[in-house]
Amino acid sequence: MNCSRHPNQGAVAKCVNCGVAICSKCAETTSVARESCGTLCIDCYCEHLREVSAYCKKDAKKRLKRIIISVICYVFGIIAVIVGASSLPSGESSALPVIIIGVLLCGFYTGLTWKKAAKESHEDYEREHGVTYKVTADGNIQRESGFFLKLIFFLIGTVLGVIITPIRVIIDIKERVSDIKSVKTFNQMISEAQNV
């Protein structure tokens, strides 16, 4: 049996995905994916790289969105804190609420992500142990939504977000750059594989 891509070469393996015969040159070209996917033909290998590349592109877009929202909230929060703090010496009664709003804005997006983590934790608990119910004061039975857990996580995340948000933005920028480099690398690998 000969390689489906190189008919003059003898096959050394079969693609685990589509079953076509592949030669040693094709097997060597696709060896990067062997540990995670098994031996692949060039076409399946390129398709796998396209999927991973698409995931990295999607991840880079999500990171960009998170960076933009975090920076906007943080900048407006800092502005509110500065405005509120500058009003403190004059004794304006509106200074403290403005400072509190500023602090909340600084950590708002981090608080939302912590709330999402609490929601996912609650859903995992329900999948593992079953849905829990509670009896309300008027005798009705309601499904436990984990509202207080989500609220506590949101508030803690928001307060800690004042410190965490700038660190997270820096990490997200580095990760986004890494995702973009990965997409370029995968596209180059696809191009090289198709020329084999």
Tab-separated table of all heavy atoms in Angstrom, residues 114-115 117-123 125 144-156:
chain	number	residue	atom	x	y	z
A	114	TRP	N	-15.542	37.275	38.788
A	114	TRP	CA	-15.639	36.470	40.013
A	114	TRP	C	-17.061	35.961	40.201
A	114	TRP	O	-17.265	34.835	40.640
A	114	TRP	CB	-15.187	37.289	41.220
A	114	TRP	CG	-13.705	37.387	41.363
A	114	TRP	CD1	-12.793	37.604	40.369
A	114	TRP	CD2	-12.957	37.261	42.561
A	114	TRP	NE1	-11.523	37.629	40.885
A	114	TRP	CE2	-11.589	37.430	42.229
A	114	TRP	CE3	-13.295	37.051	43.886
A	114	TRP	CZ2	-10.579	37.371	43.168
A	114	TRP	CZ3	-12.276	37.004	44.827
A	114	TRP	CH2	-10.939	37.152	44.469
A	115	LYS	N	-18.050	36.786	39.871
A	115	LYS	CA	-19.454	36.356	39.965
A	115	LYS	C	-19.700	35.186	39.009
A	115	LYS	O	-20.370	34.215	39.347
A	115	LYS	CB	-20.382	37.520	39.627
A	115	LYS	CG	-21.849	37.153	39.659
A	115	LYS	CD	-22.703	38.351	39.247
A	115	LYS	CE	-24.131	37.937	39.073
A	115	LYS	NZ	-24.513	37.749	37.688
A	117	ALA	N	-17.491	33.044	38.012
A	117	ALA	CA	-16.832	31.872	38.598
A	117	ALA	C	-17.700	31.246	39.682
A	117	ALA	O	-17.796	30.017	39.788
A	117	ALA	CB	-15.473	32.263	39.166
A	118	ALA	N	-18.362	32.086	40.493
A	118	ALA	CA	-19.257	31.571	41.542
A	118	ALA	C	-20.446	30.853	40.919
A	118	ALA	O	-20.877	29.804	41.409
A	118	ALA	CB	-19.724	32.714	42.434
A	119	LYS	N	-20.969	31.405	39.826
A	119	LYS	CA	-22.098	30.772	39.127
A	119	LYS	C	-21.691	29.404	38.602
A	119	LYS	O	-22.423	28.424	38.761
A	119	LYS	CB	-22.563	31.668	37.979
A	119	LYS	CG	-23.688	31.086	37.175
A	119	LYS	CD	-24.041	31.974	36.001
A	119	LYS	CE	-25.129	31.304	35.178
A	119	LYS	NZ	-25.279	31.926	33.874
A	120	GLU	N	-20.516	29.325	37.980
A	120	GLU	CA	-20.036	28.049	37.450
A	120	GLU	C	-19.794	27.049	38.575
A	120	GLU	O	-20.087	25.864	38.435
A	120	GLU	CB	-18.773	28.264	36.631
A	120	GLU	CG	-19.036	28.988	35.329
A	120	GLU	CD	-17.776	29.454	34.625
A	120	GLU	OE1	-16.661	29.250	35.171
A	120	GLU	OE2	-17.902	30.035	33.532
A	121	SER	N	-19.293	27.530	39.713
A	121	SER	CA	-19.072	26.657	40.867
A	121	SER	C	-20.398	26.107	41.380
A	121	SER	O	-20.506	24.926	41.716
A	121	SER	CB	-18.360	27.442	41.967
A	121	SER	OG	-18.231	26.667	43.122
A	122	HIS	N	-21.411	26.974	41.433
A	122	HIS	CA	-22.741	26.544	41.888
A	122	HIS	C	-23.326	25.506	40.918
A	122	HIS	O	-23.903	24.502	41.344
A	122	HIS	CB	-23.669	27.758	42.003
A	122	HIS	CG	-25.042	27.419	42.484
A	122	HIS	ND1	-25.308	27.080	43.790
A	122	HIS	CD2	-26.224	27.353	41.831
A	122	HIS	CE1	-26.598	26.819	43.929
A	122	HIS	NE2	-27.179	26.973	42.744
A	123	GLU	N	-23.155	25.736	39.608
A	123	GLU	CA	-23.661	24.787	38.610
A	123	GLU	C	-22.930	23.446	38.709
A	123	GLU	O	-23.551	22.391	38.573
A	123	GLU	CB	-23.533	25.382	37.210
A	123	GLU	CG	-24.507	26.513	36.962
A	123	GLU	CD	-24.228	27.288	35.681
A	123	GLU	OE1	-23.197	27.018	35.009
A	123	GLU	OE2	-25.041	28.166	35.348
A	125	TYR	N	-21.633	22.217	41.457
A	125	TYR	CA	-22.150	21.593	42.671
A	125	TYR	C	-23.487	20.915	42.375
A	125	TYR	O	-23.732	19.787	42.814
A	125	TYR	CB	-22.314	22.637	43.776
A	125	TYR	CG	-22.874	22.070	45.052
A	125	TYR	CD1	-22.034	21.486	45.999
A	125	TYR	CD2	-24.242	22.090	45.308
A	125	TYR	CE1	-22.545	20.942	47.166
A	125	TYR	CE2	-24.762	21.545	46.462
A	125	TYR	CZ	-23.908	20.967	47.397
A	125	TYR	OH	-24.421	20.420	48.545
A	144	GLU	N	-32.667	26.745	44.835
A	144	GLU	CA	-31.569	27.555	45.362
A	144	GLU	C	-30.718	28.033	44.185
A	144	GLU	O	-30.207	27.247	43.418
A	144	GLU	CB	-30.719	26.717	46.328
A	144	GLU	CG	-29.531	27.435	46.900
A	144	GLU	CD	-29.891	28.671	47.694
A	144	GLU	OE1	-30.691	28.569	48.634
A	144	GLU	OE2	-29.357	29.733	47.362
A	145	SER	N	-30.613	29.350	44.045
A	145	SER	CA	-29.910	29.912	42.888
A	145	SER	C	-28.457	30.273	43.187
A	145	SER	O	-27.706	30.609	42.283
A	145	SER	CB	-30.625	31.175	42.403
A	145	SER	OG	-30.557	32.182	43.405
A	146	GLY	N	-28.059	30.213	44.431
A	146	GLY	CA	-26.701	30.605	44.798
A	146	GLY	C	-26.514	32.111	44.736
A	146	GLY	O	-25.404	32.603	44.556
A	147	PHE	N	-27.605	32.861	44.911
A	147	PHE	CA	-27.569	34.323	44.781
A	147	PHE	C	-26.554	34.959	45.727
A	147	PHE	O	-25.745	35.793	45.319
A	147	PHE	CB	-28.966	34.914	45.034
A	147	PHE	CG	-28.973	36.411	45.118
A	147	PHE	CD1	-28.903	37.178	43.973
A	147	PHE	CD2	-29.022	37.056	46.349
A	147	PHE	CE1	-28.897	38.559	44.039
A	147	PHE	CE2	-29.008	38.435	46.437
A	147	PHE	CZ	-28.951	39.196	45.271
A	148	PHE	N	-26.573	34.555	46.993
A	148	PHE	CA	-25.678	35.177	47.967
A	148	PHE	C	-24.212	34.837	47.688
A	148	PHE	O	-23.338	35.680	47.855
A	148	PHE	CB	-26.078	34.798	49.395
A	148	PHE	CG	-27.354	35.464	49.822
A	148	PHE	CD1	-28.521	34.738	49.966
A	148	PHE	CD2	-27.394	36.834	50.041
A	148	PHE	CE1	-29.706	35.358	50.335
A	148	PHE	CE2	-28.570	37.465	50.416
A	148	PHE	CZ	-29.729	36.724	50.560
A	149	LEU	N	-23.963	33.613	47.244
A	149	LEU	CA	-22.601	33.238	46.867
A	149	LEU	C	-22.116	34.129	45.714
A	149	LEU	O	-21.005	34.661	45.749
A	149	LEU	CB	-22.551	31.766	46.457
A	149	LEU	CG	-21.200	31.243	45.975
A	149	LEU	CD1	-20.216	31.200	47.141
A	149	LEU	CD2	-21.352	29.867	45.351
A	150	LYS	N	-22.974	34.317	44.711
A	150	LYS	CA	-22.611	35.158	43.563
A	150	LYS	C	-22.406	36.608	43.998
A	150	LYS	O	-21.463	37.272	43.558
A	150	LYS	CB	-23.694	35.086	42.489
A	150	LYS	CG	-23.833	33.735	41.853
A	150	LYS	CD	-25.026	33.712	40.922
A	150	LYS	CE	-25.483	32.299	40.647
A	150	LYS	NZ	-26.751	32.259	39.930
A	151	LEU	N	-23.275	37.100	44.882
A	151	LEU	CA	-23.167	38.475	45.360
A	151	LEU	C	-21.872	38.680	46.147
A	151	LEU	O	-21.152	39.660	45.929
A	151	LEU	CB	-24.373	38.833	46.237
A	151	LEU	CG	-24.375	40.238	46.845
A	151	LEU	CD1	-24.445	41.295	45.741
A	151	LEU	CD2	-25.532	40.397	47.821
A	152	ILE	N	-21.563	37.732	47.031
A	152	ILE	CA	-20.337	37.844	47.835
A	152	ILE	C	-19.108	37.817	46.929
A	152	ILE	O	-18.196	38.629	47.070
A	152	ILE	CB	-20.285	36.728	48.903
A	152	ILE	CG1	-21.333	37.003	49.986
A	152	ILE	CG2	-18.901	36.607	49.512
A	152	ILE	CD1	-21.585	35.841	50.924
A	153	PHE	N	-19.096	36.895	45.966
A	153	PHE	CA	-17.962	36.833	45.040
A	153	PHE	C	-17.847	38.114	44.230
A	153	PHE	O	-16.747	38.612	43.981
A	153	PHE	CB	-18.092	35.619	44.102
A	153	PHE	CG	-17.390	34.397	44.614
A	153	PHE	CD1	-17.854	33.742	45.735
A	153	PHE	CD2	-16.274	33.914	43.971
A	153	PHE	CE1	-17.210	32.622	46.226
A	153	PHE	CE2	-15.620	32.795	44.440
A	153	PHE	CZ	-16.093	32.143	45.571
A	154	PHE	N	-18.988	38.669	43.799
A	154	PHE	CA	-18.960	39.913	43.028
A	154	PHE	C	-18.366	41.044	43.860
A	154	PHE	O	-17.497	41.789	43.394
A	154	PHE	CB	-20.365	40.286	42.556
A	154	PHE	CG	-20.437	41.631	41.906
A	154	PHE	CD1	-19.915	41.840	40.649
A	154	PHE	CD2	-21.018	42.707	42.568
A	154	PHE	CE1	-19.965	43.096	40.047
A	154	PHE	CE2	-21.074	43.951	41.986
A	154	PHE	CZ	-20.551	44.151	40.721
A	155	LEU	N	-18.827	41.180	45.108
A	155	LEU	CA	-18.338	42.268	45.963
A	155	LEU	C	-16.857	42.112	46.297
A	155	LEU	O	-16.091	43.075	46.210
A	155	LEU	CB	-19.182	42.353	47.239
A	155	LEU	CG	-20.638	42.787	47.035
A	155	LEU	CD1	-21.404	42.695	48.348
A	155	LEU	CD2	-20.713	44.186	46.454
A	156	ILE	N	-16.442	40.899	46.654
A	156	ILE	CA	-15.025	40.675	46.960
A	156	ILE	C	-14.177	40.907	45.717
A	156	ILE	O	-13.134	41.561	45.767
A	156	ILE	CB	-14.801	39.259	47.532
A	156	ILE	CG1	-15.444	39.134	48.910
A	156	ILE	CG2	-13.313	38.930	47.609
A	156	ILE	CD1	-15.471	37.731	49.466
